[in-house]
Amino acid sequence: MFDVPGWPGHLPGQHVDVRLTAEDGYSVQRSYSISSAPDGNRVELAVQRVVDGEVSPYLCDVLSVGDKIELRGPVGGWFVWRPADQAPVTLVAGGSGIAPLMAMVRTRASEGSRVPFRLVYSVRTPDDVLFADELRRRARDDAGLDVRLVYTRQTPEGSPEPPGRLGVATLNTYGWPAEFTPNCFVCGPTGFVETVSDILVALGHDLRRVRTERFG
Amino acid sequence: MSDDHVDGNALAGDLREIFAVDLTTATGRCAGCGYRGSVATLRVYRNAPGLVARCPHCEEVVLRLVRGRDRAWLDLRGTVSLEIPLPS
């Protein structure tokens, strides 16, 4: 969570570039999605630690409350949901790809939007669910928001279904049908995004309505 | 080709520093195969001295951006044209 003086506000789905500069002038930059709804100067980023990464270990392990960093943003105008757009929305997240989609879910609530949202969120195990409590609460309280979790390695205790990869049947059942011409937002690791967008197109969705963001 | 790429969304910050509008929403045409698509859908490789964006269809290099301390180099020879939405 960062306080950014003079933050101009953002659209859900936009990201920021974080730049770290060493004393010798060496500088490295990475993009991180904003997971918060617009809220004054406050910006929340979800950062997944990459073991041999140059930026994320610093953000996760070294940076502490009160430290300053260089942020540039908000940037990106393509992978964004605009509350004025009344088409239903299918969100598909893989792992930490939930971050920009969470910003959309939160903005929908804060704007009092009634656009119907369906979120399909793929994680390895129940422990890997980011924003777990908030999603459970929102699925109950936010009218018109459906949340479906898909576990690829281990399911919660007592689950009737075995773990498995997100497939055609799940997206067909828990996303909006293509005939409703929903806006689809897919975010996650590159392989996940490729697979999901191929499935959505195979299910008849117009590729122009399938917007993707890959983490690499 | 390695799978180690992100997409054109990652170009937004660097391009915004150069251009007055968000270029990732522009529609580009690839000089290699004629594919038309949003700049945001390009495949971006960052393991080069700079950013290399390739066509998602034919993998031709369509845009390269190298940033120095006080200047940037933008190579667009792989792009035939860019259609840029402007506020009306």
Side-chain angles (χ1 to χ4, degrees), chain A residues 146-183:
Chain A
D146 296 325
V147 178
R148 176 69 183 187
L149 287 164
V150 177
Y151 302 93
T152 60
R153 299 268 173 85
Q154 184 202 325
T155 56
E157 226 162 284
S159 166
E161 292 162 40
R165 291 205 171 271
L166 182 56
V168 177
T170 307
L171 281 173
N172 195 25
T173 308
Y174 297 102
W176 293 108
E179 304 83 74
F180 290 17
T181 58
N183 290 316

mmCIF file of all heavy atoms in Angstrom, chain A residues 146-183:
data_model
loop_
_atom_site.group_PDB
_atom_site.id
_atom_site.type_symbol
_atom_site.label_atom_id
_atom_site.label_comp_id
_atom_site.label_asym_id
_atom_site.label_seq_id
_atom_site.Cartn_x
_atom_site.Cartn_y
_atom_site.Cartn_z
ATOM 1 N N ASP A 146 -20.496 -13.165 -8.987
ATOM 2 C CA ASP A 146 -20.306 -14.592 -8.718
ATOM 3 C C ASP A 146 -18.817 -14.888 -8.698
ATOM 4 O O ASP A 146 -18.075 -14.386 -9.545
ATOM 5 C CB ASP A 146 -20.955 -15.445 -9.821
ATOM 6 C CG ASP A 146 -22.468 -15.271 -9.858
ATOM 7 O OD1 ASP A 146 -23.048 -15.100 -8.782
ATOM 8 O OD2 ASP A 146 -23.033 -15.289 -10.969
ATOM 9 N N VAL A 147 -18.399 -15.702 -7.743
ATOM 10 C CA VAL A 147 -16.986 -16.062 -7.643
ATOM 11 C C VAL A 147 -16.866 -17.577 -7.679
ATOM 12 O O VAL A 147 -17.531 -18.276 -6.916
ATOM 13 C CB VAL A 147 -16.365 -15.530 -6.331
ATOM 14 C CG1 VAL A 147 -14.900 -15.966 -6.218
ATOM 15 C CG2 VAL A 147 -16.474 -14.005 -6.262
ATOM 16 N N ARG A 148 -16.042 -18.079 -8.566
ATOM 17 C CA ARG A 148 -15.795 -19.514 -8.647
ATOM 18 C C ARG A 148 -14.291 -19.762 -8.530
ATOM 19 O O ARG A 148 -13.519 -19.243 -9.328
ATOM 20 C CB ARG A 148 -16.303 -20.056 -9.989
ATOM 21 C CG ARG A 148 -16.000 -21.518 -10.222
ATOM 22 C CD ARG A 148 -16.805 -22.397 -9.290
ATOM 23 N NE ARG A 148 -16.461 -23.810 -9.453
ATOM 24 C CZ ARG A 148 -17.118 -24.801 -8.838
ATOM 25 N NH1 ARG A 148 -18.130 -24.524 -8.047
ATOM 26 N NH2 ARG A 148 -16.759 -26.051 -9.011
ATOM 27 N N LEU A 149 -13.909 -20.555 -7.539
ATOM 28 C CA LEU A 149 -12.490 -20.887 -7.372
ATOM 29 C C LEU A 149 -12.200 -22.233 -8.028
ATOM 30 O O LEU A 149 -13.016 -23.154 -7.942
ATOM 31 C CB LEU A 149 -12.132 -20.939 -5.896
ATOM 32 C CG LEU A 149 -12.059 -19.566 -5.219
ATOM 33 C CD1 LEU A 149 -12.099 -19.699 -3.713
ATOM 34 C CD2 LEU A 149 -10.810 -18.817 -5.647
ATOM 35 N N VAL A 150 -11.067 -22.318 -8.682
ATOM 36 C CA VAL A 150 -10.635 -23.571 -9.304
ATOM 37 C C VAL A 150 -9.279 -23.923 -8.709
ATOM 38 O O VAL A 150 -8.369 -23.096 -8.714
ATOM 39 C CB VAL A 150 -10.500 -23.403 -10.838
ATOM 40 C CG1 VAL A 150 -9.977 -24.683 -11.471
ATOM 41 C CG2 VAL A 150 -11.825 -22.998 -11.457
ATOM 42 N N TYR A 151 -9.162 -25.145 -8.160
ATOM 43 C CA TYR A 151 -7.912 -25.563 -7.515
ATOM 44 C C TYR A 151 -7.183 -26.543 -8.422
ATOM 45 O O TYR A 151 -7.753 -27.550 -8.831
ATOM 46 C CB TYR A 151 -8.205 -26.212 -6.169
ATOM 47 C CG TYR A 151 -8.966 -25.292 -5.232
ATOM 48 C CD1 TYR A 151 -10.356 -25.320 -5.161
ATOM 49 C CD2 TYR A 151 -8.281 -24.375 -4.440
ATOM 50 C CE1 TYR A 151 -11.053 -24.466 -4.329
ATOM 51 C CE2 TYR A 151 -8.974 -23.516 -3.599
ATOM 52 C CZ TYR A 151 -10.357 -23.567 -3.551
ATOM 53 O OH TYR A 151 -11.054 -22.719 -2.720
ATOM 54 N N THR A 152 -5.927 -26.242 -8.724
ATOM 55 C CA THR A 152 -5.219 -27.105 -9.668
ATOM 56 C C THR A 152 -4.408 -28.205 -8.988
ATOM 57 O O THR A 152 -4.091 -29.212 -9.595
ATOM 58 C CB THR A 152 -4.284 -26.280 -10.577
ATOM 59 O OG1 THR A 152 -3.333 -25.593 -9.753
ATOM 60 C CG2 THR A 152 -5.075 -25.265 -11.386
ATOM 61 N N ARG A 153 -4.008 -28.008 -7.713
ATOM 62 C CA ARG A 153 -3.177 -29.031 -7.045
ATOM 63 C C ARG A 153 -3.894 -29.694 -5.877
ATOM 64 O O ARG A 153 -3.793 -30.894 -5.685
ATOM 65 C CB ARG A 153 -1.892 -28.389 -6.506
ATOM 66 C CG ARG A 153 -1.003 -27.774 -7.552
ATOM 67 C CD ARG A 153 0.035 -28.751 -8.058
ATOM 68 N NE ARG A 153 0.761 -28.178 -9.171
ATOM 69 C CZ ARG A 153 1.831 -27.382 -9.036
ATOM 70 N NH1 ARG A 153 2.272 -27.100 -7.833
ATOM 71 N NH2 ARG A 153 2.433 -26.888 -10.092
ATOM 72 N N GLN A 154 -4.574 -28.876 -5.083
ATOM 73 C CA GLN A 154 -5.183 -29.418 -3.858
ATOM 74 C C GLN A 154 -6.458 -28.641 -3.567
ATOM 75 O O GLN A 154 -6.446 -27.406 -3.551
ATOM 76 C CB GLN A 154 -4.191 -29.258 -2.710
ATOM 77 C CG GLN A 154 -4.659 -29.854 -1.400
ATOM 78 C CD GLN A 154 -3.928 -29.211 -0.229
ATOM 79 O OE1 GLN A 154 -2.747 -28.874 -0.332
ATOM 80 N NE2 GLN A 154 -4.631 -29.031 0.871
ATOM 81 N N THR A 155 -7.540 -29.366 -3.332
ATOM 82 C CA THR A 155 -8.825 -28.705 -3.074
ATOM 83 C C THR A 155 -9.028 -28.546 -1.570
ATOM 84 O O THR A 155 -8.351 -29.201 -0.792
ATOM 85 C CB THR A 155 -9.985 -29.539 -3.660
ATOM 86 O OG1 THR A 155 -9.901 -30.833 -3.092
ATOM 87 C CG2 THR A 155 -9.907 -29.632 -5.164
ATOM 88 N N PRO A 156 -9.962 -27.681 -1.161
ATOM 89 C CA PRO A 156 -10.248 -27.574 0.267
ATOM 90 C C PRO A 156 -10.805 -28.895 0.778
ATOM 91 O O PRO A 156 -11.379 -29.662 0.000
ATOM 92 C CB PRO A 156 -11.319 -26.481 0.339
ATOM 93 C CG PRO A 156 -11.409 -25.880 -1.005
ATOM 94 C CD PRO A 156 -10.832 -26.829 -1.982
ATOM 95 N N GLU A 157 -10.641 -29.128 2.072
ATOM 96 C CA GLU A 157 -11.145 -30.359 2.660
ATOM 97 C C GLU A 157 -12.647 -30.478 2.433
ATOM 98 O O GLU A 157 -13.380 -29.497 2.569
ATOM 99 C CB GLU A 157 -10.856 -30.353 4.156
ATOM 100 C CG GLU A 157 -10.288 -31.672 4.652
ATOM 101 C CD GLU A 157 -9.611 -31.497 6.003
ATOM 102 O OE1 GLU A 157 -8.488 -30.968 6.041
ATOM 103 O OE2 GLU A 157 -10.253 -31.878 6.982
ATOM 104 N N GLY A 158 -13.075 -31.658 2.072
ATOM 105 C CA GLY A 158 -14.495 -31.886 1.889
ATOM 106 C C GLY A 158 -15.022 -31.514 0.511
ATOM 107 O O GLY A 158 -16.206 -31.642 0.245
ATOM 108 N N SER A 159 -14.134 -31.030 -0.358
ATOM 109 C CA SER A 159 -14.583 -30.664 -1.697
ATOM 110 C C SER A 159 -14.936 -31.914 -2.488
ATOM 111 O O SER A 159 -14.193 -32.905 -2.465
ATOM 112 C CB SER A 159 -13.486 -29.884 -2.422
ATOM 113 O OG SER A 159 -13.790 -29.812 -3.796
ATOM 114 N N PRO A 160 -16.084 -31.900 -3.164
ATOM 115 C CA PRO A 160 -16.493 -33.097 -3.901
ATOM 116 C C PRO A 160 -15.679 -33.307 -5.187
ATOM 117 O O PRO A 160 -15.664 -34.399 -5.733
ATOM 118 C CB PRO A 160 -17.959 -32.819 -4.238
ATOM 119 C CG PRO A 160 -18.082 -31.327 -4.223
ATOM 120 C CD PRO A 160 -17.053 -30.815 -3.247
ATOM 121 N N GLU A 161 -15.014 -32.266 -5.638
ATOM 122 C CA GLU A 161 -14.325 -32.371 -6.935
ATOM 123 C C GLU A 161 -12.817 -32.516 -6.750
ATOM 124 O O GLU A 161 -12.243 -31.917 -5.847
ATOM 125 C CB GLU A 161 -14.605 -31.138 -7.782
ATOM 126 C CG GLU A 161 -16.040 -31.042 -8.247
ATOM 127 C CD GLU A 161 -16.405 -29.644 -8.706
ATOM 128 O OE1 GLU A 161 -15.547 -29.008 -9.362
ATOM 129 O OE2 GLU A 161 -17.511 -29.194 -8.390
ATOM 130 N N PRO A 162 -12.183 -33.295 -7.611
ATOM 131 C CA PRO A 162 -10.723 -33.407 -7.543
ATOM 132 C C PRO A 162 -10.080 -32.145 -8.102
ATOM 133 O O PRO A 162 -10.716 -31.404 -8.852
ATOM 134 C CB PRO A 162 -10.422 -34.611 -8.447
ATOM 135 C CG PRO A 162 -11.532 -34.622 -9.445
ATOM 136 C CD PRO A 162 -12.738 -34.079 -8.724
ATOM 137 N N PRO A 163 -8.813 -31.877 -7.717
ATOM 138 C CA PRO A 163 -8.146 -30.717 -8.299
ATOM 139 C C PRO A 163 -7.948 -30.923 -9.803
ATOM 140 O O PRO A 163 -7.874 -32.056 -10.275
ATOM 141 C CB PRO A 163 -6.794 -30.682 -7.573
ATOM 142 C CG PRO A 163 -6.585 -32.044 -7.022
ATOM 143 C CD PRO A 163 -7.946 -32.628 -6.805
ATOM 144 N N GLY A 164 -7.891 -29.844 -10.541
ATOM 145 C CA GLY A 164 -7.675 -29.982 -11.982
ATOM 146 C C GLY A 164 -7.507 -28.624 -12.625
ATOM 147 O O GLY A 164 -7.860 -27.599 -12.029
ATOM 148 N N ARG A 165 -6.941 -28.627 -13.803
ATOM 149 C CA ARG A 165 -6.716 -27.367 -14.504
ATOM 150 C C ARG A 165 -8.028 -26.777 -14.991
ATOM 151 O O ARG A 165 -8.989 -27.494 -15.255
ATOM 152 C CB ARG A 165 -5.775 -27.585 -15.686
ATOM 153 C CG ARG A 165 -4.381 -27.916 -15.237
ATOM 154 C CD ARG A 165 -3.355 -27.542 -16.275
ATOM 155 N NE ARG A 165 -2.015 -27.674 -15.708
ATOM 156 C CZ ARG A 165 -1.389 -26.704 -15.067
ATOM 157 N NH1 ARG A 165 -1.942 -25.528 -14.937
ATOM 158 N NH2 ARG A 165 -0.186 -26.903 -14.570
ATOM 159 N N LEU A 166 -8.012 -25.469 -15.122
ATOM 160 C CA LEU A 166 -9.177 -24.752 -15.636
ATOM 161 C C LEU A 166 -9.410 -25.187 -17.087
ATOM 162 O O LEU A 166 -8.508 -25.094 -17.905
ATOM 163 C CB LEU A 166 -8.864 -23.254 -15.569
ATOM 164 C CG LEU A 166 -9.920 -22.265 -15.991
ATOM 165 C CD1 LEU A 166 -11.193 -22.484 -15.197
ATOM 166 C CD2 LEU A 166 -9.410 -20.867 -15.762
ATOM 167 N N GLY A 167 -10.610 -25.686 -17.360
ATOM 168 C CA GLY A 167 -10.870 -26.199 -18.707
ATOM 169 C C GLY A 167 -12.099 -25.587 -19.339
ATOM 170 O O GLY A 167 -12.719 -24.664 -18.799
ATOM 171 N N VAL A 168 -12.432 -26.132 -20.507
ATOM 172 C CA VAL A 168 -13.553 -25.613 -21.285
ATOM 173 C C VAL A 168 -14.851 -25.657 -20.482
ATOM 174 O O VAL A 168 -15.606 -24.691 -20.445
ATOM 175 C CB VAL A 168 -13.720 -26.444 -22.584
ATOM 176 C CG1 VAL A 168 -14.927 -25.964 -23.375
ATOM 177 C CG2 VAL A 168 -12.461 -26.367 -23.432
ATOM 178 N N ALA A 169 -15.086 -26.798 -19.798
ATOM 179 C CA ALA A 169 -16.361 -26.976 -19.103
ATOM 180 C C ALA A 169 -16.537 -25.916 -18.015
ATOM 181 O O ALA A 169 -17.617 -25.324 -17.879
ATOM 182 C CB ALA A 169 -16.434 -28.376 -18.498
ATOM 183 N N THR A 170 -15.470 -25.669 -17.254
ATOM 184 C CA THR A 170 -15.574 -24.703 -16.161
ATOM 185 C C THR A 170 -15.843 -23.301 -16.690
ATOM 186 O O THR A 170 -16.699 -22.578 -16.170
ATOM 187 C CB THR A 170 -14.270 -24.703 -15.335
ATOM 188 O OG1 THR A 170 -13.990 -26.042 -14.953
ATOM 189 C CG2 THR A 170 -14.401 -23.836 -14.107
ATOM 190 N N LEU A 171 -15.108 -22.906 -17.732
ATOM 191 C CA LEU A 171 -15.319 -21.557 -18.277
ATOM 192 C C LEU A 171 -16.692 -21.429 -18.900
ATOM 193 O O LEU A 171 -17.331 -20.387 -18.836
ATOM 194 C CB LEU A 171 -14.234 -21.229 -19.309
ATOM 195 C CG LEU A 171 -12.899 -20.810 -18.703
ATOM 196 C CD1 LEU A 171 -11.841 -20.674 -19.786
ATOM 197 C CD2 LEU A 171 -13.049 -19.481 -17.957
ATOM 198 N N ASN A 172 -17.159 -22.523 -19.487
ATOM 199 C CA ASN A 172 -18.477 -22.521 -20.106
ATOM 200 C C ASN A 172 -19.558 -22.378 -19.045
ATOM 201 O O ASN A 172 -20.535 -21.653 -19.232
ATOM 202 C CB ASN A 172 -18.650 -23.832 -20.895
ATOM 203 C CG ASN A 172 -19.811 -23.760 -21.850
ATOM 204 O OD1 ASN A 172 -20.192 -22.661 -22.279
ATOM 205 N ND2 ASN A 172 -20.382 -24.901 -22.179
ATOM 206 N N THR A 173 -19.362 -23.036 -17.906
ATOM 207 C CA THR A 173 -20.378 -23.035 -16.851
ATOM 208 C C THR A 173 -20.337 -21.752 -16.022
ATOM 209 O O THR A 173 -21.378 -21.199 -15.676
ATOM 210 C CB THR A 173 -20.167 -24.243 -15.916
ATOM 211 O OG1 THR A 173 -20.100 -25.424 -16.710
ATOM 212 C CG2 THR A 173 -21.310 -24.366 -14.909
ATOM 213 N N TYR A 174 -19.128 -21.281 -15.689
ATOM 214 C CA TYR A 174 -19.016 -20.199 -14.710
ATOM 215 C C TYR A 174 -18.662 -18.837 -15.316
ATOM 216 O O TYR A 174 -18.574 -17.853 -14.591
ATOM 217 C CB TYR A 174 -18.016 -20.587 -13.616
ATOM 218 C CG TYR A 174 -18.501 -21.796 -12.845
ATOM 219 C CD1 TYR A 174 -17.964 -23.058 -13.099
ATOM 220 C CD2 TYR A 174 -19.526 -21.675 -11.921
ATOM 221 C CE1 TYR A 174 -18.429 -24.179 -12.414
ATOM 222 C CE2 TYR A 174 -20.001 -22.784 -11.234
ATOM 223 C CZ TYR A 174 -19.455 -24.031 -11.485
ATOM 224 O OH TYR A 174 -19.930 -25.125 -10.822
ATOM 225 N N GLY A 175 -18.434 -18.788 -16.626
ATOM 226 C CA GLY A 175 -18.289 -17.498 -17.295
ATOM 227 C C GLY A 175 -19.601 -17.172 -17.984
ATOM 228 O O GLY A 175 -20.518 -18.001 -18.020
ATOM 229 N N TRP A 176 -19.714 -15.966 -18.545
ATOM 230 C CA TRP A 176 -20.933 -15.635 -19.293
ATOM 231 C C TRP A 176 -20.879 -16.268 -20.674
ATOM 232 O O TRP A 176 -19.815 -16.323 -21.278
ATOM 233 C CB TRP A 176 -21.079 -14.121 -19.438
ATOM 234 C CG TRP A 176 -21.329 -13.430 -18.140
ATOM 235 C CD1 TRP A 176 -20.455 -12.642 -17.460
ATOM 236 C CD2 TRP A 176 -22.514 -13.485 -17.356
ATOM 237 N NE1 TRP A 176 -21.019 -12.206 -16.288
ATOM 238 C CE2 TRP A 176 -22.278 -12.705 -16.197
ATOM 239 C CE3 TRP A 176 -23.744 -14.122 -17.507
ATOM 240 C CZ2 TRP A 176 -23.243 -12.547 -15.210
ATOM 241 C CZ3 TRP A 176 -24.708 -13.955 -16.523
ATOM 242 C CH2 TRP A 176 -24.455 -13.177 -15.395
ATOM 243 N N PRO A 177 -22.029 -16.727 -21.189
ATOM 244 C CA PRO A 177 -22.038 -17.291 -22.543
ATOM 245 C C PRO A 177 -21.681 -16.216 -23.577
ATOM 246 O O PRO A 177 -21.951 -15.029 -23.366
ATOM 247 C CB PRO A 177 -23.481 -17.765 -22.739
ATOM 248 C CG PRO A 177 -24.211 -17.525 -21.476
ATOM 249 C CD PRO A 177 -23.356 -16.726 -20.558
ATOM 250 N N ALA A 178 -21.105 -16.653 -24.679
ATOM 251 C CA ALA A 178 -20.669 -15.724 -25.724
ATOM 252 C C ALA A 178 -21.832 -14.885 -26.265
ATOM 253 O O ALA A 178 -21.648 -13.743 -26.665
ATOM 254 C CB ALA A 178 -19.992 -16.503 -26.853
ATOM 255 N N GLU A 179 -23.046 -15.457 -26.243
ATOM 256 C CA GLU A 179 -24.206 -14.732 -26.806
ATOM 257 C C GLU A 179 -24.512 -13.453 -26.021
ATOM 258 O O GLU A 179 -25.182 -12.555 -26.530
ATOM 259 C CB GLU A 179 -25.475 -15.604 -26.799
ATOM 260 C CG GLU A 179 -25.378 -16.928 -27.514
ATOM 261 C CD GLU A 179 -24.748 -17.997 -26.636
ATOM 262 O OE1 GLU A 179 -25.409 -18.484 -25.717
ATOM 263 O OE2 GLU A 179 -23.578 -18.316 -26.858
ATOM 264 N N PHE A 180 -24.058 -13.389 -24.775
ATOM 265 C CA PHE A 180 -24.297 -12.195 -23.970
ATOM 266 C C PHE A 180 -23.290 -11.093 -24.294
ATOM 267 O O PHE A 180 -23.324 -10.037 -23.681
ATOM 268 C CB PHE A 180 -24.209 -12.527 -22.468
ATOM 269 C CG PHE A 180 -25.334 -13.375 -21.933
ATOM 270 C CD1 PHE A 180 -26.162 -14.094 -22.776
ATOM 271 C CD2 PHE A 180 -25.562 -13.452 -20.563
ATOM 272 C CE1 PHE A 180 -27.195 -14.884 -22.281
ATOM 273 C CE2 PHE A 180 -26.598 -14.229 -20.055
ATOM 274 C CZ PHE A 180 -27.407 -14.960 -20.917
ATOM 275 N N THR A 181 -22.376 -11.377 -25.216
ATOM 276 C CA THR A 181 -21.274 -10.476 -25.587
ATOM 277 C C THR A 181 -20.639 -9.786 -24.369
ATOM 278 O O THR A 181 -20.605 -8.561 -24.273
ATOM 279 C CB THR A 181 -21.715 -9.412 -26.621
ATOM 280 O OG1 THR A 181 -22.796 -8.667 -26.086
ATOM 281 C CG2 THR A 181 -22.077 -10.028 -27.938
ATOM 282 N N PRO A 182 -20.141 -10.613 -23.439
ATOM 283 C CA PRO A 182 -19.500 -10.025 -22.263
ATOM 284 C C PRO A 182 -18.113 -9.474 -22.605
ATOM 285 O O PRO A 182 -17.519 -9.860 -23.624
ATOM 286 C CB PRO A 182 -19.342 -11.224 -21.318
ATOM 287 C CG PRO A 182 -19.200 -12.401 -22.240
ATOM 288 C CD PRO A 182 -20.058 -12.092 -23.440
ATOM 289 N N ASN A 183 -17.638 -8.572 -21.772
ATOM 290 C CA ASN A 183 -16.230 -8.200 -21.817
ATOM 291 C C ASN A 183 -15.475 -9.208 -20.963
ATOM 292 O O ASN A 183 -15.853 -9.448 -19.815
ATOM 293 C CB ASN A 183 -16.028 -6.801 -21.231
ATOM 294 C CG ASN A 183 -16.609 -5.727 -22.128
ATOM 295 O OD1 ASN A 183 -16.434 -5.755 -23.343
ATOM 296 N ND2 ASN A 183 -17.307 -4.764 -21.532
#
